[in-house]
Amino acid sequence: MRVYSTNAVELGRRLDYWSALSSNAITPMQVSASSRARFEGRLWVDRLGSIDVARAYSSSVVIRRTPMEIGRTSERAFLLEMSEDATYGVSLHGRESVVKGGDLWLS
């Protein structure tokens, strides 16, 4: 298992580091946050046969997957996410959902 953290990254560069890390380890995405100065994140990544498994914790972020990010890979991918204890909003193809602790969602 590989473990990544923003702790060793300079405060002003953490969000950019996290965005690049998440895009490479999970799937191409844009990551933004209202507070770059206080951002922190940890990512655990492993492989289970042909399935990549990732566990992420971070400060509050907005994640976007636009046609530009989707076009960065030719692989067909599915994301199965579970929220451990956080509640957050998801907007997918014009539909809004709220994900709560213990919920699963597939995209």
Side-chain angles (χ1 to χ4, degrees), residues 50-63:
S50 62
I51 299 172
D52 291 325
V53 179
R55 178 178 182 221
Y57 161 82
S58 76
S59 301
S60 180
V61 294
V62 174
I63 297 172

Side-chain angles (χ1 to χ4, degrees), residues 5-56:
S5 173
T6 59
N7 288 346
V9 179
E10 182 182 314
L11 285 174
R13 298 184 55 220
R14 286 182 177 183
L15 186 60
D16 294 334
Y17 169 81
W18 185 256
S19 183
L21 175 64
S22 299
S23 288
N24 289 325
I26 301 170
T27 190
M29 64 181 80
Q30 291 178 15
V31 180
S32 60
S34 60
S35 177
R36 294 179 71 89
R38 296 178 177 223
F39 183 81
E40 63 177 309
R42 289 185 301 282
L43 181 65
W44 298 261
V45 180
D46 210 345
R47 188 143 181 94
L48 184 62
S50 62
I51 299 172
D52 291 325
V53 179
R55 178 178 182 221

Side-chain angles (χ1 to χ4, degrees), residues 70-86:
I70 294 167
R72 287 177 41 199
T73 181
S74 60
E75 294 179 359
R76 187 170 178 154
F78 298 92
L79 295 175
L80 178 63
E81 280 195 40
M82 183 183 114
S83 173
E84 288 185 42
D85 58 7

Side-chain angles (χ1 to χ4, degrees), residues 90-102:
V90 175
S91 176
L92 183 64
H93 302 294
R95 288 180 258 170
E96 304 286 328
S97 298
V98 174
V99 178
K100 299 178 182 175

